[in-house]
Structure formats: structure tokens, C-alpha cells
Amino acid sequence: MAAKLSTHVLDTAHGCPARGMQIELWSLAGESRKLVKMVRLNEDGRTDAALLGPEEMQVGEYELIFHVGEYFASLSGGEGDKPLFLNKVPVRFGISDAGASYHVPLLTSPWAYSTYRGS
């Protein structure tokens, strides 16, 4: 299997993939941040292509920002708590082997989230 970075988001409040959620991928180096990619999730709650393909994988620290608040607000027609309990959920992680695959899934509701290194 070729090295890559991928993600998958499940909406645990509704029991379905988080279709349409926006995600940002940032590369971090000390205090410096660089936006690498901004995408929206497809029908399966996944990106259409890997966030980083084999030729893009580099050792370093990264951050995925999941736009959870915007996603849940779109489902409720903008109704709900203001300010949102969860809005943008950041997940910082490291890639220590550029030849390996990294999968960073998110399970989320408007009030909670969890993540892990998937396969």
C-alpha cells in the first residue's frame, strides 16, 4: 500500500457520515503554520483523494481542523445554541514515517468528539 494521509468523519448524533464538512490541513513548524489543503467531505464522509499522497508525505507535525460547528448548523438550518459548544475541532498529530499511511478519523456530535490513528 502506498503511503498517504487520509481522514473519515462520522456524525455520531445522526448515525451517518459527515457529508459536506469542511476540513483544513495545516503543516506546522515551530510557530509557523502553512495551509496545505482545504476540502469538503463526500457522501461517505471521506475526501475524494488522499489529503497527502505518496509524493507529498513528509515527516513533521500537522493539524487537521474540522469545521464541526458549521456542519451541524447546516443540518439545523442555523438554529441552535449560540455560541456553539464545538465549532472548529483541531487535531494535531505527527508523521514520523513518510513511507507509512496515516488515517486520522473523527467521530463527532455537536457536544463531543474523539479521534485515533486508524488504518
Side-chain angles (χ1 to χ4, degrees):
M1 175 185 287
K4 68 179 180 183
L5 171 64
S6 60
T7 190
H8 182 206
V9 182
L10 296 175
D11 172 347
T12 58
H14 298 99
C16 62
R19 175 185 63 189
M21 182 183 291
Q22 181 175 309
I23 297 175
E24 300 170 21
L25 172 64
W26 292 82
S27 175
L28 310 175
E31 296 300 313
S32 175
R33 300 170 53 86
K34 177 184 172 195
L35 180 63
V36 176
K37 208 169 271 184
M38 189 179 301
V39 298
R40 287 215 180 256
L41 299 178
N42 63 24
E43 297 283 325
D44 293 325
R46 300 176 186 274
T47 58
D48 289 329
L51 291 168
L52 296 176
E55 66 288 343
E56 301 168 297
M57 291 288 287
Q58 294 182 11
V59 171
E61 188 175 359
Y62 295 85
E63 182 175 62
L64 283 168
I65 298 179
F66 298 90
H67 291 246
V68 171
E70 173 188 271
Y71 166 78
F72 284 108
S74 74
L75 297 180
S76 67
E79 299 297 317
D81 295 338
K82 302 266 190 309
L84 301 168
F85 182 70
L86 291 178
N87 190 12
K88 295 178 183 177
V89 172
V91 176
R92 285 194 176 186
F93 60 97
I95 292 177
S96 59
D97 179 357
S101 287
Y102 288 77
H103 184 65
V104 184
L106 188 77
L107 306 174
T108 190
S109 77
W111 313 280
Y113 67 91
S114 64
T115 189
Y116 55 95
R117 181 174 176 188
S119 57

